[in-house]
Amino acid sequence: DFSRLFKRGDRIGIIGENGSGKSTLLRLVAGCEQPDAGEIEKGDTVKIGFYTQENEDMNLKLRMIEYIREVAESIQLKDGSFISASAMLEKFLFPMHSHGTPLYKLSGGEKRRLYLLRILMSSPNVLLLDEPTNDLDTQTLTVLEDFLESYSGVVITVSHDRYFLDKVADELLIFSGGGAIGTYFG
């Protein structure tokens, strides 16, 4: 028995024990799963970016810059400024000299970071992050936290990392098991 309206600028963290339904809620919001009961209404202008715990199939023959530019050449930030794909690669710790590197040469962690960047470059206005602290190193998480400060959309993230949640969430949804969901502001 859960009802929630997400509005522009919301910063929601989701916490709870493993198996309590946190990732399932994200998959429902993303439209990857259908609810057993009730309904999910999505606005006409909603564009979801979903960073999942699973790896995306990547065309490993592409170069990093090609992989990012498949989605967009640039994105607009909250202040109205634009940032190019190559500048975003640099911001996310890929130096300019590496932008031509084929994806098959990247480590697993670099591929996860590039996957996150591709999602951000798609300019979603709702960003769903399913346990990003499991895959991303501390430096990348710091860059992500900084980026989210200039991001105007909704952020909904599942995490067990209290520090990360303190940085990116203004409200917590607390999954207590048995379908019970509480809230905490702050």
Side-chain angles (χ1 to χ4, degrees), residues 51 55-56 58-60 62-69 71 85 88-90 92-94 98-99 101-122 135-136 140:
Y51 179 84
N55 278 330
E56 172 192 63
M58 296 177 154
N59 179 351
L60 299 178
L62 288 177
R63 299 184 183 282
M64 284 195 295
I65 191 70
E66 295 168 333
Y67 177 72
I68 296 302
R69 285 184 176 157
V71 176
M88 280 292 282
L89 277 165
E90 287 187 63
F92 276 80
L93 310 173
F94 292 108
S98 70
H99 296 185
T101 303
L103 300 186
Y104 70 84
K105 290 188 174 185
L106 301 179
S107 70
E110 289 169 327
K111 287 176 185 171
R112 292 297 288 169
R113 185 171 5 128
L114 198 62
Y115 166 58
L116 171 64
L117 181 54
R118 183 176 167 111
I119 291 167
L120 298 176
M121 288 298 294
S122 72
D135 300 318
L136 303 173
T140 304

Side-chain angles (χ1 to χ4, degrees), residues 68-168:
I68 296 302
R69 285 184 176 157
E70 275 187 335
V71 176
E73 290 284 333
S74 66
I75 59 169
Q76 188 172 14
L77 302 176
K78 183 167 46 175
D79 65 4
S81 64
F82 285 86
I83 186 166
S84 69
S86 61
M88 280 292 282
L89 277 165
E90 287 187 63
K91 184 176 187 75
F92 276 80
L93 310 173
F94 292 108
M96 181 66 83
H97 67 80
S98 70
H99 296 185
T101 303
L103 300 186
Y104 70 84
K105 290 188 174 185
L106 301 179
S107 70
E110 289 169 327
K111 287 176 185 171
R112 292 297 288 169
R113 185 171 5 128
L114 198 62
Y115 166 58
L116 171 64
L117 181 54
R118 183 176 167 111
I119 291 167
L120 298 176
M121 288 298 294
S122 72
S123 295
N125 55 16
V126 176
L127 182 59
L128 307 175
L129 301 170
D130 195 0
E131 302 208 29
T133 58
N134 288 356
D135 300 318
L136 303 173
D137 60 32
T138 305
Q139 284 182 300
T140 304
L141 287 171
T142 301
V143 171
L144 176 60
E145 291 163 5
D146 291 344
F147 176 80
L148 292 177
E149 288 180 16
S150 64
Y151 175 73
S152 62
V154 174
V155 177
I156 306 171
T157 185
V158 171
S159 183
H160 295 281
D161 186 320
R162 186 173 283 184
Y163 178 80
F164 179 73
L165 288 172
D166 283 345
K167 297 288 278 184
V168 302

Side-chain angles (χ1 to χ4, degrees), residues 25-38:
L25 178 62
L26 291 187
R27 287 192 300 275
L28 287 166
V29 171
C32 300
E33 291 188 24
Q34 297 303 311
D36 295 332

